[in-house]
Amino acid sequence: MTGRRPPLATMLDILHDEDVHTVFGNPGTSELPFLHGLVGDPRFEFVLALHEASAVAMADGYARATGRPAFVSLHIAAGLANGLIGLLNASRSRTPLVVTAGQQDSRHLVQDPLLSGDLIGLAGAAVKQTFDVRRAADLPILLRRAFAAARRPPAGPVFLSVPMDLLADEIPIDSVGPSSVSPPGAPEDLASAVRLLAEARNPVIVAGDGVGRAGAVADLVAVAEALGAVVYHQPMHDGIDFPQRHPLHAGMLPPINAAIRAALDAHDAVLIAGCHAFSPHHYSPGPALPAGIAVVQLDSDAEEIGRNFPADAGLVGGIRPTLRALADRLAGRVSEAPVRTRAAARRHNAARADIDARARLKYGSVPLHPLAAVHAVTAALPDEAVVVEEAITAGVLLRQVLRQDQPRSLVHTVGGGLGSGIGAAIGTRLGDPSRPVVAVLGDGCTLFGLQGLWSAARYQVPVTFVVMNNGEYRTLKETLDTWHGRTGLRPVLDLSPPQLDFTAAAAFFGIESVRVTDTGQLTETIAKAVRSERPLLVDVPITGHNDEEPL
């Protein structure tokens, strides 16, 4: 085919071919040419955010829910800077995003025009790869490369800088063809890994977030059951990588090397599947793994193998086909597996009953103990619910009582950038409208992303936003506890007075709200809200760091 057409038309055709139906953004003048073409095209929906951080967070949740790259349009250098926190989160969580920002008109960039900036330099530290589009004819092929890079292991966000004037040019109609990324298969040589795991006296598995991203939860279950191996989630896991009610599930490893080492010390072999390094939070001396343990490490990213600890058997390949191959080769080989599974079930069921009992002992009126509050929330969740967690200290307690088995039932980010929870919850529900979404948020995290409520109201996205309101920077106070009397900062770490009233904030953005008075009302409110077709904010007053008895 011959002839020429505007690059914007080709760009939109590529987006559609790459299975993009929804574009998230906060546009400005340099993105007007793109937005003008986009909103007139019935193949796409544009979801508007009041702030770029909300746009990126919504796209992150959407990409995880759909399992394909999401597309984001940001505005110039300042808008990209606003979106960097979400890009850092997406990079750490390995969420595939394709992000663009409109650069100033290239014909006068040499004059340092208003709003221009070093977009590539700004984005470089926060994304997997950058693409600087200099010619209109290069836009289609660089856009294709961006989608391929976002998907290729390790997945992550990529960025394109697109000068606004290039979209008014013309390029050949057939300037670029389709592209694709073939998923990696299983390694050919699994013999060493199978031998190490099958011959272990007490094997253990660490389920990393790569398992959930690859849709390989059922395959990891098959490996665990073939071995009778207990399974820990990686520290601060971003999703459901192993069913939390399964008898072999031992909970989450804490994000401290010494605690991980203690949890794994009784085991002589470990399968670490799709886990990025362990990513400890607070420092402790020594490695994460106990001495002498045999390590089988599996990842789709070759750079992960042996990165932070030696691997006796390193497997580079697709996580799902590799786990399936391991399960097939281990099936029926370990005669002790049923006995190990029954013993693990007794231990784990007792531990779950104990934490549930301790939570119920804390039930009562507001302010609620945070363990009672998160337990009351989980009591109302249907099996198909998705929990978006950005609650920091309450979130750690939530993981102790959460019982989610279905893949993609938990959304979290280990990126460290606060304020993603509201946007991620909206994007999650937009990406999969068939599943109710409950966002459990800290009050500080809510404040960082509060403007996202506007998008929930505008598009009537039925998400239940649960704000754990303790009026303080509790995580910092808990850290101070380890500093032996250094308490001078405590008054600075309180957020009240004035009292934070999130029902007033919800009303400002047009969201219905409830301020609960006891644990029974909290459970009842959540149970009703997950069946609603409208967004709801639930303000949950909880006790502060100095106002409660220890668990």
Side-chain angles (χ1 to χ4, degrees):
M1 184 180 295
T2 60
R4 301 179 69 82
R5 69 191 306 212
L8 176 58
T10 300
M11 181 180 183
L12 295 177
D13 285 347
I14 291 173
L15 292 184
H16 183 260
D17 188 58
E18 295 285 356
D19 213 10
V20 172
H21 311 294
T22 303
V23 174
F24 300 88
N26 179 269
T29 51
S30 57
E31 293 76 36
L32 281 178
F34 170 70
L35 189 63
H36 176 71
L38 181 75
V39 298
D41 192 321
R43 296 175 295 178
F44 304 100
E45 177 186 13
F46 182 74
V47 177
L48 179 64
L50 293 185
H51 192 274
E52 289 85 357
S54 295
V56 177
M58 286 191 285
D60 190 316
Y62 185 89
R64 296 200 212 186
T66 61
R68 59 179 189 266
F71 192 81
V72 186
S73 174
L74 304 180
H75 175 47
I76 214 75
L80 172 59
N82 283 340
L84 285 179
I85 187 171
L87 296 180
L88 286 169
N89 287 341
S91 291
R92 294 298 297 271
S93 294
R94 296 188 174 183
T95 305
L97 304 178
V98 176
V99 182
T100 66
Q103 177 61 283
Q104 254 281 14
D105 193 309
S106 62
R107 294 168 294 187
H108 69 165
L109 274 178
V110 71
Q111 302 175 51
D112 298 324
L114 289 174
L115 305 182
S116 65
D118 182 5
L119 303 187
I120 297 299
L122 270 175
V127 300
K128 178 182 175 182
Q129 193 171 347
T130 60
F131 299 86
D132 191 6
V133 184
R134 302 287 183 88
R135 301 187 314 133
D138 295 339
L139 176 58
I141 193 168
L142 291 181
L143 184 59
R144 288 289 197 185
R145 289 179 184 176
F147 274 97
R151 292 191 188 95
R152 188 179 299 116
V158 300
F159 173 76
L160 296 97
S161 169
V162 184
M164 60 187 297
D165 58 301
L166 297 192
L167 297 183
D169 206 341
E170 288 191 338
I171 60 174
I173 289 177
D174 56 354
S175 58
V176 66
S179 67
S180 62
V181 177
S182 299
E188 291 184 5
D189 184 13
L190 299 175
S192 178
V194 171
R195 178 181 55 80
L196 286 171
L197 295 172
E199 295 179 0
R201 297 185 311 277
N202 190 12
V204 63
I205 295 173
V206 177
D209 285 322
V211 174
R213 287 192 299 267
V217 174
D219 306 285
L220 184 59
V221 169
V223 172
E225 291 177 347
L227 292 169
V230 298
V231 181
Y232 289 96
H233 263 100
Q234 74 167 68
M236 303 310 299
H237 51 103
D238 275 359
I240 297 299
D241 308 307
F242 198 83
Q244 293 182 310
R245 293 187 183 94
H246 194 283
L248 289 170
H249 185 242
M252 182 188 78
L253 289 172
I256 300 172
N257 278 359
I260 296 171
R261 190 168 63 248
L264 302 182
D265 189 54
H267 301 278
D268 59 338
V270 58
L271 168 61
I272 302 173
C275 176
H276 175 60
F278 287 134
S279 299
H281 186 196
H282 297 296
Y283 170 77
S284 64
L289 296 182
I293 193 169
V295 177
V296 177
Q297 188 178 9
L298 163 63
D299 209 286
S300 56
D301 178 12
E303 294 296 320
E304 283 297 328
I305 306 300
R307 186 169 184 262
N308 277 12
F309 39 78
D312 297 275
L315 304 176
V316 180
I319 291 175
R320 185 174 184 179
T322 304
L323 289 174
R324 174 46 51 191
L326 283 175
D328 290 343
R329 296 194 185 193
L330 288 167
R333 183 164 172 171
V334 181
S335 60
E336 302 92 337
V339 176
R340 292 171 180 170
T341 299
R342 288 193 293 270
R346 288 192 294 271
R347 295 194 305 272
H348 299 158
N349 288 339
R352 292 166 193 159
D354 177 68
I355 190 66
D356 287 344
R358 286 192 285 143
R360 291 190 183 95
L361 285 174
K362 300 290 185 181
Y363 273 35
S365 301
V366 296
L368 304 180
H369 190 287
L371 179 61
V374 295
H375 190 270
V377 171
T378 62
L381 296 176
D383 289 342
E384 70 275 15
V386 181
V387 176
V388 176
E389 184 269 301
E390 195 191 19
I392 315 300
T393 52
V396 173
L397 298 175
L398 174 68
R399 290 162 184 268
Q400 297 180 32
V401 297
L402 196 61
R403 306 285 186 266
Q404 298 295 93
D405 289 341
Q406 293 189 28
R408 294 181 178 167
S409 292
L410 175 67
V411 177
H412 172 71
T413 178
V414 292
L418 300 185
S420 67
I422 291 175
I426 296 168
T428 298
R429 184 62 193 249
L430 290 174
D432 186 357
S434 69
R435 302 182 67 177
V437 176
V438 176
V440 181
L441 311 166
D443 48 7
C445 297
T446 303
L447 292 173
F448 271 63
L450 195 63
Q451 67 282 339
L453 293 177
W454 180 87
S455 296
R458 177 184 176 94
Y459 300 103
Q460 281 298 289
V461 186
V463 171
T464 306
F465 303 98
V466 183
V467 182
M468 298 294 170
N469 186 356
N470 60 15
E472 64 181 6
Y473 287 99
R474 179 171 181 141
T475 187
L476 298 182
K477 289 185 177 181
E478 290 184 355
T479 303
L480 279 176
D481 288 345
T482 67
W483 286 18
H484 305 294
R486 301 183 191 181
T487 59
L489 283 175
R490 290 195 185 279
V492 180
L493 303 179
D494 290 328
L495 299 180
S496 58
Q499 177 67 38
L500 296 171
D501 184 355
F502 287 96
T503 62
F508 176 78
F509 288 107
I511 298 282
E512 294 182 11
S513 64
V514 174
R515 187 177 179 90
V516 299
T517 57
D518 56 52
T519 43
Q521 184 193 11
L522 176 55
T523 298
E524 182 180 350
T525 299
I526 302 299
K528 182 178 179 180
V530 294
R531 297 190 299 270
S532 173
E533 292 302 317
R534 293 180 300 196
L536 177 72
L537 184 142
V538 184
D539 192 348
V540 184
I542 61 174
T543 52
H545 177 262
N546 300 319
D547 302 324
E548 62 195 38
E549 298 176 359
L551 294 174

